Amino acid sequence: MTTDTVGTRLEGKVAFITGIARGQGRAHAVRLAQEGASIIGIDICDQIPTVFYPMATREDLAETERLVKEVGGQIVTTIGDVRRREDIEAALAAGIEQFGHVDTIVANAGIMPVIGPGEQKQAWFDAVDVMLTGVWHVLDVVAPILVEQGRGGTITITSSAAGLRSIGLNTLPGQAGYTAAKHGVVGLMRLYSKELAKDFIRVNTIHPTGVNTPMVANAE
Ligand SMILES: NC(=O)c1ccc[n+]([C@@H]2O[C@H](COP(=O)([O-])OP(=O)(O)OC[C@H]3O[C@@H](n4cnc5c(N)ncnc54)[C@H](O)[C@@H]3O)[C@@H](O)[C@H]2O)c1
């Protein structure tokens, strides 16, 4: 990750990112800040019991803040859970109070409860709650704000290659939930992109394959 300031393409823009404490969310925050955007972020910074690798910590979140500031960016973060609509509302409100508006949404927070005891039926619910319902919460909260602002905007949802085809090696509850959630957000993207196009708001999913983050590069 470079820390050089490389452009001003996002000067005056504000980006809201979920799952910002580390991994891809952190990388998006630093890269957008390098281009001049101010950053609003939320992360749970806690463990979800069905997840068998260490999730992000408060120290990780502080490191994201440090890296954004290092490239000259401004950042407001909140510890909160995308499964809770009110946490998303609070994080956004804190950022909008500071920066006045929001332009770019990155719905990135995710978990991969696909390892560990296979009998954990709860892993299905956790995967769907975080990566499908959590994304819907983001869309449901931010879409009216973007429309009301009248300045267009972009919404990017982090799906996965697992949202395009099956990459699962098993049908355990966490794997099934991950696959269903990552396919499900494609439907949400289609629904919201059609609805929001008239307001110059673009909605996309992205579908990474393997990315070298603690989600997949861990000791478990
Ligand atoms: N790493 C990969 O190979 C890969 C591949 C395809 C898609 N993805 C997706 O990319 C996204 C980012 O993952 P990553 O690779 O950076 O992993 P990561 O584990 O490093 O980062 C995920 C972040 O989301 C946060 N988070 C999890 N649940 C949350 C919740 N309920 N509320 C708020 N924050 C929460 C975590 O604390 C963590 O900081 C995820 O949606 C993931 O499914 C990852």
Side-chain angles (χ1 to χ4, degrees), residues 108-124:
N108 161 83
I111 55 173
M112 192 181 263
V114 302
I115 54 172
E119 69 275 11
Q120 283 212 93
K121 300 278 188 272
Q122 183 60 33
W124 159 275

Side-chain angles (χ1 to χ4, degrees), residues 88-101:
I88 293 167
E89 289 171 335
L92 252 181
I96 289 176
E97 187 182 341
Q98 180 89 3
F99 303 126
H101 62 273

Side-chain angles (χ1 to χ4, degrees), residues 72-151:
Q74 299 186 77
I75 180 166
V76 174
T77 66
T78 300
I79 292 176
D81 188 337
V82 296
R83 293 174 294 180
R84 293 165 47 91
R85 182 191 164 100
E86 57 269 35
D87 288 4
I88 293 167
E89 289 171 335
L92 252 181
I96 289 176
E97 187 182 341
Q98 180 89 3
F99 303 126
H101 62 273
V102 63
D103 306 282
T104 296
I105 312 300
V106 185
N108 161 83
I111 55 173
M112 192 181 263
V114 302
I115 54 172
E119 69 275 11
Q120 283 212 93
K121 300 278 188 272
Q122 183 60 33
W124 159 275
F125 295 100
D126 292 343
V128 170
D129 286 352
V130 173
M131 293 177 290
L132 183 55
T133 307
V135 169
W136 174 69
H137 283 154
V138 172
L139 291 164
D140 195 45
V141 169
V142 301
I145 296 173
L146 291 178
V147 169
E148 190 186 322
Q149 288 177 164
R151 42 188 283 149

